[in-house]
Amino acid sequence: MTQDGSTAQAAPSLLDAIRQAYAVELHTPPFPDRLLELARALIACPWAAILERGADGIDIASGQIPEGDGDLVAETADALLGDGDGGGFGADIAVAGAAMVARVAVPGGGVVALAIGRAQGGQIAQSLAYERLSLLSALSFAQNAHPDHMAQTRMIEMVQSVAADPKPDALRALADLLARHMSADYAAVGLYAEDRITALEISGQDGAAKRASLPDRLRVEMQQTAKQKTRSAERLYAAAPGRDSGLVFQIDGANRNTGAPLLAGAVYALSQGRSVPRRWTRARVTKLAAWALVLFGVGLVPLPDRVEIPATVEAAERRVLTAPFTGRLDAISVTDSQTVSSGTPLLRMETEAIDLDLIEVRAEMARALLDREAARAARLAADLRNAELEVERLDARIARLSKQIDDATLTAPIPGLVIALDLVEKLGTTVRQGDPLIEIADPSAMRLALSIPDDRLGLVKTGLIGRFRPDYDPTLTYDATVLTISPAVSIREERPVLDGRAVLDSATDGLRPGLRGVFAPQSAWKPAAILAYEAIRDWVLLRVWF
């Protein structure tokens, strides 16, 4: 209890302070700042600083170093940190004039140098500062770095470097690292390309004498490993999919970390696939040449330069019969597709109303004749003139009604084929004068109505010979010759076309007006490559080129 009655809080212990400084879950303040604070609290030192290896050498990451001690401290830190790999896997400490420098592992696997000014106060103070600095260094490595973890990280970096540029020095460094990491008798790393081992490096752990006797045997064994694509802890071939070159690992007498070659091989395959350009090997060149020959052969295959024009069969001579007057269709004497001769009755219009009108008009005519005779007998000139006009009017009406009765029966004007698809549906209905009722077409003289697209006009001209294929049976063909091409352009189905006519030169058995098909002019045979070029050229000129 304090004097004011409150409970006194216990001061943090040394263990609590160390745990707080080395807590990996803390990100603020950064670990170097926490380490400096702990070092100043544990060691009575005039100054403290964290040094790290930068792009241009040793840099001060945190803290300050007196101007007179900077160069010596930097040289000592450079020796402790080594060539970028931390200089080793454990804690270490060195004395640099009036300073002491220790290797410290930071979270993430990196290594920095912790430098402090030598404490004042005699040998005991110096020894105590040295022990506490060693403690800080050892704790950092125990917390943030394990030798195997650091070696694995370094191995991945080396493998990526080898994949980017497989120099002998990089291969040798990788072999040495693998041998140390796996506590092996030796590790060999070889570059396989063009069906042979083009470069081979062996770790220096086995001694120069043994290395002198290994290469010849290893080249044979490692070449066999690459050809068989072996993947094991002792022998492994690594290459990206589709690559003809790769890296071969061979380990002898490994005592630990036996999975390291598999990890190195996987990293190499991924790195090679991203960074190493594909080489033009003999097999790849042969394959491309084979494909080029195949495409060249296909391009030489002759194909017809075919043009297909939509066409419809129509009769060269035909007659369309229309309703002679407005009335009801009374009878039909023929059927669709029936062959008739000239004068054959086809259909009849109803004349009942006309007959009644004719009887009435004739009665009026009789009365008009009596009136005319009476006016002539009485010698009444005016009445006689009116009576004669009435007789003429009624006579014209009788003639008109008689003609309608005669025209009520429609007969075939020419011999031919009856075309009346929907005539039966009109039976008994009223038709208006001039409505088309029936068509007679001469089947012995057929022709083609062509619908020539505007972009095919340059390929079709009068006198062009070709063949007509009806849609209902494309195996049938009929010879035809283009007779005329209209100069006017019409729009059909939202496309500009020109009307043309083609005469059928061969027998037209099986054809009837209205049949659809295509007219294919005779065309020359050209290589497929030429046809493809012309099609692409025309498309570019019509739709791309301005």
Side-chain angles (χ1 to χ4, degrees), residues 342-355:
S342 179
T344 300
L346 303 176
L347 53 84
R348 186 179 70 255
M349 301 286 292
E350 186 182 74
T351 60
E352 183 178 352
I354 300 176
D355 292 338

Side-chain angles (χ1 to χ4, degrees), residues 311-315 419 446 512-517:
T312 304
V313 178
E314 64 179 19
I419 301 176
M446 295 290 184
R512 59 169 294 171
L515 288 178
R516 294 179 179 272

Side-chain angles (χ1 to χ4, degrees), residues 465-521:
I465 300 174
R467 291 188 174 184
F468 171 72
R469 295 196 314 273
D471 290 342
Y472 79 92
D473 188 358
T475 61
L476 299 176
T477 57
Y478 301 87
D479 295 335
T481 303
V482 178
L483 189 63
T484 60
I485 298 176
S486 172
V489 177
S490 57
I491 304 298
R492 292 180 188 165
E493 298 180 357
E494 300 182 356
R495 184 175 184 180
V497 297
L498 290 90
D499 294 328
R501 294 291 183 271
V503 59
L504 290 165
D505 302 328
S506 57
T508 57
D509 297 340
L511 295 181
R512 59 169 294 171
L515 288 178
R516 294 179 179 272
V518 294
F519 171 71

Side-chain angles (χ1 to χ4, degrees), residues 1 10 148 176 222 246 258-259 280 297 354 482 494 512 539:
M1 298 287 291
D148 287 346
D176 290 338
M222 296 175 75
T258 55
W280 289 96
I354 300 176
V482 178
E494 300 182 356
R512 59 169 294 171
W539 184 87

Side-chain angles (χ1 to χ4, degrees), residues 37-88:
E37 184 179 357
L38 180 61
R40 293 190 184 102
L42 287 179
I43 305 171
C45 55
W47 57 268
I50 299 291
L51 298 94
E52 63 182 7
R53 182 175 297 282
D56 300 326
I58 301 299
D59 299 326
I60 298 177
S62 183
Q64 294 181 348
I65 301 176
E67 185 175 352
D69 299 330
D71 294 340
L72 182 57
V73 170
E75 291 177 4
T76 305
D78 187 34
L80 286 175
L81 296 179
D83 333 341
D85 60 353

